[in-house]
Amino acid sequence: MSEKRLLLVEDEPGLQLALSDRLTAEGYTVETAGDGNVAVARATGSPFDIIVLDVMLPGRDGFDVAKTLRQQGILTPILMLTARSQVVDRVVGLKLGADDYLTKPFETIELLARLEALLRRAPSGSPGLSLERYQFGDITVDVRKAEVMGKGQPLDLSAKEYQLLKYFIEHRGATISRDELLQEVWGYSAMPSTRTVDVHVAWLRQKLETNPRVPQFILTVHGLGYKFAG
């Protein structure tokens, strides 16, 4: 198995450590979170291939974490862990966005088998990113309709601004050079100046950022290019 990035969200220190060690031994690159708020921040901050999510968490519970991630367009497969064994709890978890459900106590070998099954079913491409709808801050991007909404109102983006935003979303968290943007968004590399990219980024910030002078979503990486953090 190629190395997969796994986010383990579990507030019981002993279980978190035991699972982390076993999953690492099985070839996963494991990051951990001990409460729901940290889980959301980590899952939306960088892409993971799969998430193991406990239901009973401090901060916000696993149901709310799953719901929030799906609302933000994060489609990373989620396996929920819980001591709750009633059918209604499993149904709620699955309806809110979980892909599978495992009741405590469980055998680790079953957890590993379920993770492998989820990874086999996961679509290829950018891990965790919705290809149809994406949300960051007050902005919602409907990729299928090529529409961008801000606070529920349509935003008037030019075709190139939309293509640039879509490319940023598809490469969320990565530092992207101006040359790469020219090549991938404009379709050629022989521009007289990469200033073209800077101008379009400035226009995009004017439409998306609360304070374009202090951007929160489209960040400048000095000397390298840009990074999308939405």
Side-chain angles (χ1 to χ4, degrees):
M1 181 184 71
S2 61
E3 196 166 272
K4 298 292 186 183
R5 297 191 73 236
L6 182 149
L7 177 61
L8 172 61
V9 186
E10 172 59 62
D11 65 323
E12 297 179 35
L15 183 57
Q16 185 190 91
L17 180 61
L19 287 178
S20 180
D21 287 348
R22 179 61 186 273
L23 291 165
T24 300
E26 293 293 330
Y28 291 95
T29 299
V30 180
E31 290 192 26
T32 59
D35 69 60
N37 291 321
V38 174
V40 170
R42 292 195 175 157
T44 58
S46 61
F48 288 89
D49 295 291
I50 197 162
I51 297 171
V52 177
L53 176 63
D54 190 22
V55 170
M56 301 300 291
L57 293 168
R60 60 171 77 180
D61 65 26
F63 295 138
D64 191 36
V65 171
K67 180 181 177 182
T68 301
L69 295 182
R70 297 310 188 223
Q71 287 176 336
Q72 296 192 22
I74 304 297
L75 295 183
T76 304
I78 296 174
L79 172 63
M80 276 191 165
L81 302 177
T82 182
R84 298 178 179 180
S85 59
Q86 295 190 5
V87 172
V88 64
D89 294 318
R90 295 199 294 272
V91 171
V92 169
L94 294 170
K95 281 184 174 292
L96 291 177
D99 299 278
D100 200 358
Y101 205 97
L102 191 57
T103 304
K104 297 178 181 176
F106 54 85
E107 296 291 337
T108 306
I109 191 172
E110 182 179 1
L111 170 65
L112 295 172
R114 287 175 181 262
L115 292 176
E116 291 177 9
L118 286 176
L119 288 169
R120 283 198 301 271
R121 298 202 299 266
S124 59
S126 181
L129 176 64
S130 169
L131 299 179
E132 295 185 354
R133 187 173 179 274
Y134 189 80
Q135 182 174 355
F136 58 98
D138 295 325
I139 308 296
T140 301
V141 181
D142 188 324
V143 176
R144 189 175 55 182
K145 297 179 180 178
E147 291 180 350
V148 182
M149 307 285 285
K151 298 181 179 179
Q153 300 299 316
L155 297 179
D156 185 20
L157 269 62
S158 70
K160 195 57 66 182
E161 289 167 354
Y162 174 77
Q163 292 167 11
L164 182 60
L165 175 60
K166 183 171 178 287
Y167 192 83
F168 276 132
I169 292 172
E170 290 172 342
H171 298 80
R172 179 172 179 271
T175 298
I176 308 171
S177 71
R178 292 171 176 82
D179 288 338
E180 178 181 340
L181 291 170
L182 280 176
Q183 179 70 39
E184 301 298 331
V185 178
W186 275 260
Y188 50 88
S189 58
M191 287 292 294
S193 168
T194 52
R195 177 65 179 163
T196 296
V197 174
D198 296 333
V199 169
H200 280 77
V201 166
W203 289 342
L204 207 48
R205 282 172 170 164
Q206 290 288 338
K207 297 177 181 179
L208 302 179
E209 302 278 2
T210 302
N211 183 356
R213 293 180 179 274
V214 187
Q216 297 180 2
F217 305 127
I218 305 176
L219 310 179
T220 298
V221 183
H222 294 291
L224 296 175
Y226 295 100
K227 178 186 291 186
F228 182 67

